mmCIF file of all heavy atoms in Angstrom:
data_model
loop_
_atom_site.group_PDB
_atom_site.id
_atom_site.type_symbol
_atom_site.label_atom_id
_atom_site.label_comp_id
_atom_site.label_asym_id
_atom_site.label_seq_id
_atom_site.Cartn_x
_atom_site.Cartn_y
_atom_site.Cartn_z
ATOM 1 N N LEU A 596 102.361 72.529 113.752
ATOM 2 C CA LEU A 596 102.788 73.839 113.433
ATOM 3 C C LEU A 596 102.583 75.012 114.449
ATOM 4 O O LEU A 596 103.323 75.936 114.429
ATOM 5 C CB LEU A 596 102.410 74.388 112.110
ATOM 6 C CG LEU A 596 102.709 73.555 110.901
ATOM 7 C CD1 LEU A 596 102.138 74.210 109.580
ATOM 8 C CD2 LEU A 596 104.301 73.453 110.686
ATOM 9 N N ARG A 597 101.587 74.733 115.309
ATOM 10 C CA ARG A 597 101.158 75.835 116.266
ATOM 11 C C ARG A 597 102.264 76.244 117.150
ATOM 12 O O ARG A 597 102.422 77.508 117.445
ATOM 13 C CB ARG A 597 99.894 75.435 117.072
ATOM 14 C CG ARG A 597 98.788 75.521 116.332
ATOM 15 C CD ARG A 597 97.484 75.115 117.126
ATOM 16 N NE ARG A 597 96.424 74.799 116.161
ATOM 17 C CZ ARG A 597 95.504 73.795 116.475
ATOM 18 N NH1 ARG A 597 95.490 73.147 117.552
ATOM 19 N NH2 ARG A 597 94.636 73.657 115.550
ATOM 20 N N SER A 598 102.900 75.366 117.849
ATOM 21 C CA SER A 598 104.000 75.721 118.817
ATOM 22 C C SER A 598 105.218 76.615 118.261
ATOM 23 O O SER A 598 105.703 77.329 118.929
ATOM 24 C CB SER A 598 104.447 74.643 119.529
ATOM 25 O OG SER A 598 105.244 73.682 118.669
ATOM 26 N N GLU A 599 105.493 76.429 117.021
ATOM 27 C CA GLU A 599 106.463 77.081 116.272
ATOM 28 C C GLU A 599 106.009 78.349 115.643
ATOM 29 O O GLU A 599 107.044 79.215 115.161
ATOM 30 C CB GLU A 599 107.360 76.183 115.389
ATOM 31 C CG GLU A 599 108.038 75.130 116.055
ATOM 32 C CD GLU A 599 109.217 75.642 117.062
ATOM 33 O OE1 GLU A 599 109.893 76.622 116.607
ATOM 34 O OE2 GLU A 599 109.291 75.098 118.144
ATOM 35 N N ALA A 600 104.777 78.455 115.535
ATOM 36 C CA ALA A 600 104.314 79.675 114.725
ATOM 37 C C ALA A 600 104.240 80.925 115.615
ATOM 38 O O ALA A 600 103.087 81.327 115.874
ATOM 39 C CB ALA A 600 102.906 79.325 114.056
ATOM 40 N N ARG A 601 105.376 81.470 115.981
ATOM 41 C CA ARG A 601 105.321 82.672 116.742
ATOM 42 C C ARG A 601 105.307 83.837 115.859
ATOM 43 O O ARG A 601 105.838 83.829 114.768
ATOM 44 C CB ARG A 601 106.584 82.676 117.606
ATOM 45 C CG ARG A 601 106.528 81.540 118.697
ATOM 46 C CD ARG A 601 107.669 81.518 119.539
ATOM 47 N NE ARG A 601 107.703 80.335 120.376
ATOM 48 C CZ ARG A 601 108.630 79.340 120.250
ATOM 49 N NH1 ARG A 601 109.543 79.403 119.402
ATOM 50 N NH2 ARG A 601 108.552 78.280 121.138
ATOM 51 N N LEU A 602 104.751 85.038 116.360
ATOM 52 C CA LEU A 602 104.749 86.234 115.667
ATOM 53 C C LEU A 602 106.035 87.069 116.088
ATOM 54 O O LEU A 602 106.146 87.160 117.397
ATOM 55 C CB LEU A 602 103.490 87.044 116.007
ATOM 56 C CG LEU A 602 103.406 88.439 115.462
ATOM 57 C CD1 LEU A 602 103.406 88.444 113.858
ATOM 58 C CD2 LEU A 602 102.143 89.254 115.889
ATOM 59 N N VAL A 603 106.794 87.334 115.124
ATOM 60 C CA VAL A 603 108.005 88.189 115.500
ATOM 61 C C VAL A 603 107.772 89.660 114.855
ATOM 62 O O VAL A 603 107.449 89.711 113.673
ATOM 63 C CB VAL A 603 109.241 87.501 114.818
ATOM 64 C CG1 VAL A 603 110.456 88.330 115.136
ATOM 65 C CG2 VAL A 603 109.401 86.059 115.186
ATOM 66 N N VAL A 604 107.816 90.571 115.793
ATOM 67 C CA VAL A 604 107.578 91.942 115.333
ATOM 68 C C VAL A 604 108.851 92.737 115.562
ATOM 69 O O VAL A 604 109.465 92.671 116.688
ATOM 70 C CB VAL A 604 106.385 92.589 116.216
ATOM 71 C CG1 VAL A 604 106.210 94.067 115.863
ATOM 72 C CG2 VAL A 604 105.063 91.664 116.164
ATOM 73 N N GLU A 605 109.255 93.447 114.576
ATOM 74 C CA GLU A 605 110.402 94.299 114.718
ATOM 75 C C GLU A 605 110.070 95.781 114.367
ATOM 76 O O GLU A 605 109.337 96.045 113.400
ATOM 77 C CB GLU A 605 111.643 93.884 113.846
ATOM 78 C CG GLU A 605 112.183 92.543 114.190
ATOM 79 C CD GLU A 605 113.400 92.192 113.480
ATOM 80 O OE1 GLU A 605 113.677 93.001 112.416
ATOM 81 O OE2 GLU A 605 114.005 91.189 113.869
ATOM 82 N N HIS A 606 110.518 96.707 115.356
ATOM 83 C CA HIS A 606 110.310 98.223 115.027
ATOM 84 C C HIS A 606 111.431 98.844 115.576
ATOM 85 O O HIS A 606 111.758 98.639 116.876
ATOM 86 C CB HIS A 606 108.985 98.582 115.661
ATOM 87 C CG HIS A 606 108.768 100.028 115.378
ATOM 88 N ND1 HIS A 606 108.551 100.778 114.212
ATOM 89 C CD2 HIS A 606 108.833 101.027 116.400
ATOM 90 C CE1 HIS A 606 108.458 101.919 114.500
ATOM 91 N NE2 HIS A 606 108.472 102.156 115.812
ATOM 92 N N ASP A 607 112.202 99.694 114.985
ATOM 93 C CA ASP A 607 113.263 100.571 115.469
ATOM 94 C C ASP A 607 114.298 99.682 116.438
ATOM 95 O O ASP A 607 114.582 100.277 117.465
ATOM 96 C CB ASP A 607 112.727 101.690 116.365
ATOM 97 C CG ASP A 607 112.240 102.936 115.375
ATOM 98 O OD1 ASP A 607 112.649 102.805 114.270
ATOM 99 O OD2 ASP A 607 111.446 103.723 116.008
ATOM 100 N N GLY A 608 114.703 98.540 115.820
ATOM 101 C CA GLY A 608 115.669 97.818 116.633
ATOM 102 C C GLY A 608 115.187 97.094 117.800
ATOM 103 O O GLY A 608 116.067 96.471 118.452
ATOM 104 N N VAL A 609 113.993 96.972 117.994
ATOM 105 C CA VAL A 609 113.356 96.151 119.125
ATOM 106 C C VAL A 609 112.569 95.005 118.458
ATOM 107 O O VAL A 609 111.802 95.230 117.568
ATOM 108 C CB VAL A 609 112.315 97.019 119.963
ATOM 109 C CG1 VAL A 609 111.797 96.210 121.126
ATOM 110 C CG2 VAL A 609 113.156 98.169 120.698
ATOM 111 N N ARG A 610 112.857 93.954 118.957
ATOM 112 C CA ARG A 610 112.210 92.729 118.510
ATOM 113 C C ARG A 610 111.334 92.088 119.636
ATOM 114 O O ARG A 610 111.824 91.979 120.713
ATOM 115 C CB ARG A 610 113.077 91.638 118.036
ATOM 116 C CG ARG A 610 112.514 90.373 117.616
ATOM 117 C CD ARG A 610 113.580 89.310 117.239
ATOM 118 N NE ARG A 610 114.021 89.713 115.892
ATOM 119 C CZ ARG A 610 114.787 88.999 115.062
ATOM 120 N NH1 ARG A 610 115.430 87.878 115.586
ATOM 121 N NH2 ARG A 610 115.143 89.423 113.943
ATOM 122 N N VAL A 611 110.040 91.883 119.209
ATOM 123 C CA VAL A 611 109.038 91.396 120.225
ATOM 124 C C VAL A 611 108.610 89.928 119.705
ATOM 125 O O VAL A 611 108.160 89.959 118.500
ATOM 126 C CB VAL A 611 107.812 92.283 120.471
ATOM 127 C CG1 VAL A 611 106.901 91.594 121.364
ATOM 128 C CG2 VAL A 611 108.242 93.639 120.814
ATOM 129 N N VAL A 612 108.576 88.936 120.431
ATOM 130 C CA VAL A 612 108.183 87.570 119.992
ATOM 131 C C VAL A 612 106.867 87.325 120.705
ATOM 132 O O VAL A 612 107.020 87.263 121.957
ATOM 133 C CB VAL A 612 109.256 86.530 120.240
ATOM 134 C CG1 VAL A 612 108.774 85.163 119.699
ATOM 135 C CG2 VAL A 612 110.613 86.980 119.566
ATOM 136 N N ILE A 613 105.932 86.975 119.933
ATOM 137 C CA ILE A 613 104.578 86.723 120.509
ATOM 138 C C ILE A 613 104.223 85.372 120.277
ATOM 139 O O ILE A 613 104.291 84.782 119.167
ATOM 140 C CB ILE A 613 103.508 87.668 119.892
ATOM 141 C CG1 ILE A 613 103.891 89.041 120.239
ATOM 142 C CG2 ILE A 613 102.124 87.435 120.560
ATOM 143 C CD1 ILE A 613 103.883 89.484 121.399
ATOM 144 N N GLU A 614 103.787 84.566 121.287
ATOM 145 C CA GLU A 614 103.258 83.189 121.125
ATOM 146 C C GLU A 614 101.795 83.051 121.403
ATOM 147 O O GLU A 614 101.045 82.642 120.559
ATOM 148 C CB GLU A 614 104.089 82.294 122.091
ATOM 149 C CG GLU A 614 103.605 80.751 121.680
ATOM 150 C CD GLU A 614 104.552 79.839 122.386
ATOM 151 O OE1 GLU A 614 105.645 80.114 122.688
ATOM 152 O OE2 GLU A 614 104.165 78.633 122.446
ATOM 153 N N ASP A 615 101.374 83.433 122.584
ATOM 154 C CA ASP A 615 100.076 83.161 123.029
ATOM 155 C C ASP A 615 98.946 84.175 122.636
ATOM 156 O O ASP A 615 97.793 83.983 122.568
ATOM 157 C CB ASP A 615 99.911 83.092 124.581
ATOM 158 C CG ASP A 615 100.790 81.993 125.016
ATOM 159 O OD1 ASP A 615 100.894 80.948 124.425
ATOM 160 O OD2 ASP A 615 101.518 82.141 126.129
ATOM 161 N N GLY A 616 99.280 85.433 122.409
ATOM 162 C CA GLY A 616 98.455 86.443 121.925
ATOM 163 C C GLY A 616 97.560 87.055 122.976
ATOM 164 O O GLY A 616 96.362 87.277 122.748
ATOM 165 N N THR A 617 98.112 87.276 124.158
ATOM 166 C CA THR A 617 97.476 87.752 125.384
ATOM 167 C C THR A 617 97.334 89.384 125.161
ATOM 168 O O THR A 617 98.045 89.892 124.439
ATOM 169 C CB THR A 617 98.165 87.278 126.616
ATOM 170 O OG1 THR A 617 99.625 88.001 126.629
ATOM 171 C CG2 THR A 617 98.269 85.912 126.669
ATOM 172 N N ALA A 618 96.577 89.917 126.126
ATOM 173 C CA ALA A 618 96.445 91.335 126.316
ATOM 174 C C ALA A 618 97.800 91.950 126.576
ATOM 175 O O ALA A 618 98.233 93.033 126.172
ATOM 176 C CB ALA A 618 95.368 91.738 127.181
ATOM 177 N N GLN A 619 98.642 91.186 127.434
ATOM 178 C CA GLN A 619 99.877 91.621 127.866
ATOM 179 C C GLN A 619 100.953 91.623 126.595
ATOM 180 O O GLN A 619 101.697 92.580 126.526
ATOM 181 C CB GLN A 619 100.661 90.770 128.976
ATOM 182 C CG GLN A 619 99.861 90.857 130.281
ATOM 183 C CD GLN A 619 98.595 90.090 130.346
ATOM 184 O OE1 GLN A 619 98.342 89.252 129.589
ATOM 185 N NE2 GLN A 619 97.885 90.185 131.394
ATOM 186 N N ASP A 620 100.764 90.599 125.646
ATOM 187 C CA ASP A 620 101.519 90.610 124.509
ATOM 188 C C ASP A 620 101.194 91.879 123.655
ATOM 189 O O ASP A 620 102.034 92.386 123.074
ATOM 190 C CB ASP A 620 101.189 89.271 123.634
ATOM 191 C CG ASP A 620 101.797 88.101 124.432
ATOM 192 O OD1 ASP A 620 102.753 88.159 125.097
ATOM 193 O OD2 ASP A 620 101.116 86.988 124.022
ATOM 194 N N ALA A 621 99.888 92.174 123.476
ATOM 195 C CA ALA A 621 99.501 93.311 122.663
ATOM 196 C C ALA A 621 100.231 94.599 123.295
ATOM 197 O O ALA A 621 100.630 95.544 122.570
ATOM 198 C CB ALA A 621 98.048 93.394 122.736
ATOM 199 N N ALA A 622 100.160 94.603 124.619
ATOM 200 C CA ALA A 622 100.734 95.967 125.335
ATOM 201 C C ALA A 622 102.352 95.912 125.025
ATOM 202 O O ALA A 622 102.767 97.205 124.884
ATOM 203 C CB ALA A 622 100.439 95.826 126.903
ATOM 204 N N ARG A 623 102.980 94.927 124.972
ATOM 205 C CA ARG A 623 104.297 94.773 124.796
ATOM 206 C C ARG A 623 104.565 95.358 123.245
ATOM 207 O O ARG A 623 105.478 96.127 123.022
ATOM 208 C CB ARG A 623 104.879 93.382 124.819
ATOM 209 C CG ARG A 623 104.941 92.955 126.295
ATOM 210 C CD ARG A 623 105.459 91.450 126.574
ATOM 211 N NE ARG A 623 106.383 91.048 125.648
ATOM 212 C CZ ARG A 623 106.198 89.911 124.940
ATOM 213 N NH1 ARG A 623 105.139 89.102 125.068
ATOM 214 N NH2 ARG A 623 107.226 89.534 124.151
ATOM 215 N N VAL A 624 103.773 94.940 122.299
ATOM 216 C CA VAL A 624 103.975 95.415 120.931
ATOM 217 C C VAL A 624 103.672 96.926 120.816
ATOM 218 O O VAL A 624 104.360 97.583 120.203
ATOM 219 C CB VAL A 624 103.029 94.684 120.000
ATOM 220 C CG1 VAL A 624 103.037 95.168 118.637
ATOM 221 C CG2 VAL A 624 103.406 93.198 119.937
ATOM 222 N N ALA A 625 102.600 97.306 121.519
ATOM 223 C CA ALA A 625 102.233 98.810 121.576
ATOM 224 C C ALA A 625 103.400 99.584 122.124
ATOM 225 O O ALA A 625 103.729 100.709 121.619
ATOM 226 C CB ALA A 625 100.925 98.976 122.220
ATOM 227 N N ARG A 626 103.938 99.098 123.247
ATOM 228 C CA ARG A 626 105.078 99.957 123.756
ATOM 229 C C ARG A 626 106.388 99.799 122.828
ATOM 230 O O ARG A 626 106.903 100.903 122.720
ATOM 231 C CB ARG A 626 105.425 99.273 125.182
ATOM 232 C CG ARG A 626 104.641 99.594 126.314
ATOM 233 C CD ARG A 626 105.190 99.313 127.621
ATOM 234 N NE ARG A 626 105.375 97.764 127.825
ATOM 235 C CZ ARG A 626 104.517 97.032 128.167
ATOM 236 N NH1 ARG A 626 103.205 97.427 128.504
ATOM 237 N NH2 ARG A 626 104.604 95.748 128.380
ATOM 238 N N ALA A 627 106.542 98.800 122.182
ATOM 239 C CA ALA A 627 107.777 98.828 121.155
ATOM 240 C C ALA A 627 107.542 99.796 120.032
ATOM 241 O O ALA A 627 108.278 100.600 119.627
ATOM 242 C CB ALA A 627 107.854 97.332 120.678
ATOM 243 N N LEU A 628 106.125 99.890 119.614
ATOM 244 C CA LEU A 628 105.774 100.768 118.533
ATOM 245 C C LEU A 628 105.823 102.239 118.971
ATOM 246 O O LEU A 628 106.087 103.142 118.244
ATOM 247 C CB LEU A 628 104.457 100.365 118.054
ATOM 248 C CG LEU A 628 104.281 99.081 117.112
ATOM 249 C CD1 LEU A 628 102.927 98.785 116.840
ATOM 250 C CD2 LEU A 628 105.331 99.151 115.925
#
């Protein structure tokens, strides 16, 4: 199940898909928020 268990985040019309959970992924979510 791991490879398909991606985190999909939506805020104000922006969708961010996270797989690995890196610091860069966290920065992408923060920018979207």
Side-chain angles (χ1 to χ4, degrees):
L596 292 178
R597 284 184 199 142
S598 66
E599 290 298 319
R601 297 181 183 109
L602 175 64
V603 180
V604 179
E605 289 187 352
H606 176 71
D607 280 347
V609 176
R610 177 178 283 183
V611 181
V612 179
I613 304 297
E614 184 170 343
D615 299 322
T617 65
Q619 292 81 8
D620 291 333
R623 290 175 34 232
V624 171
R626 280 192 297 274
L628 291 175

